[in-house]
Every structure is written in structure tokens, then in C-alpha cells.
């Protein structure tokens, strides 16, 4: 049973525990910081890939297959990273897991 405390309005609420001293929380914060930096690099890489793909299409008339595969796997990594950063998932993306495969 959780300890309870009474608020100034007289309502009874469960007491909240601080996780300030929890090493797991700080480790998650470190992973989040590193992944946020990598996320920024991935955004730039995604823009460069999109521009290269457009130029390839412009001059050859069809998309580059290697860039399509890379773009697909990069998009999956970005999505996995966003899920980790927003606490949707506890699974850490690459480099702590395998690089996502392209469809």
C-alpha cells in the first residue's frame, strides 16, 4: 500500500517518490542525450539523401535503388529513436540494437 498525504484542499493523494537518485533514470537520460545528437545528424543525412535522390531522378529518370533502401532503413531508425526519446518504447535503437532492415 502506498503512503498517502493530505493536500491543502483536504484531498488525499498518493505520495510520489522522486527518482532523482535512481541511476537507471540518469542512464536513460545519457542515452537520450546521445540519441538526440544522433537524431540531429540523421535529419541532415535524410535531407542530403532526399536531395541526392531527387537529382538522381532528374538526370536518370528513375530513383536510385540503393538510396531507396538506405532511406527506408534510415526512416525506421529515426522512428525507433523518436519512440525511445518520447518514452513510447524502452528499446534502445542502433547502436545498441541492429540497424533496421529496409523493406
Amino acid at each position: 500500500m502506498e503512503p498517502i498525504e493530505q493536500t491543502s484542499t483536504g484531498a488525499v493523494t498518493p505520495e510520489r517518490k522522486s527518482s532523482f537518485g535512481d541511476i537507471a533514470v540518469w542512464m536513460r537520460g545519457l542515452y537520450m542525450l546521445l540519441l538526440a545528437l544522433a537524431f540531429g545528424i540523421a535529419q541532415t543525412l535524410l535531407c542530403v539523401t532526399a536531395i541526392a535522390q531527387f537529382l538522381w531522378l532528374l538526370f536518370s529518370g528513375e530513383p536510385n535503388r540503393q538510396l531507396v533502401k538506405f532511406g527506408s532503413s534510415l526512416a525506421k531508425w529515426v522512428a525507433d529513436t523518436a519512440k525511445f526519446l518520447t518514452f513510447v518504447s524502452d528499446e534502445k535503437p542502433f547502436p545498441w540494437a541492429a540497424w533496421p532492415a529496409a523493406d
Side-chain angles (χ1 to χ4, degrees):
M1 182 176 240
E2 294 182 4
I4 56 173
E5 65 180 35
Q6 199 167 14
T7 63
S8 61
T9 61
V12 177
T13 59
E15 186 178 312
R16 293 185 184 193
K17 284 175 45 175
S18 172
S19 52
F20 195 81
D22 189 353
I23 191 75
V25 172
W26 286 103
M27 286 304 296
R28 175 146 184 144
L30 178 61
Y31 290 132
M32 290 176 70
L33 178 63
L34 294 172
L35 285 169
L37 293 171
F39 192 89
I41 294 168
Q43 285 179 312
T44 303
L45 192 55
L46 184 62
C47 289
V48 169
T49 303
I51 292 168
Q53 187 68 285
F54 176 74
L55 292 174
W56 189 275
L57 176 67
L58 194 63
F59 291 110
S60 73
E62 62 183 289
N64 181 298
R65 291 185 191 267
Q66 286 86 6
L67 287 177
V68 168
K69 289 175 86 174
F70 176 70
S72 176
S73 65
L74 181 60
K76 286 182 181 181
W77 182 86
V78 167
D80 291 344
T81 302
K83 288 176 184 176
F84 181 78
L85 291 174
T86 58
F87 289 82
V88 173
S89 171
D90 286 329
E91 293 185 35
K92 294 182 279 303
F94 180 85
W96 292 278
W99 182 261
D103 289 335

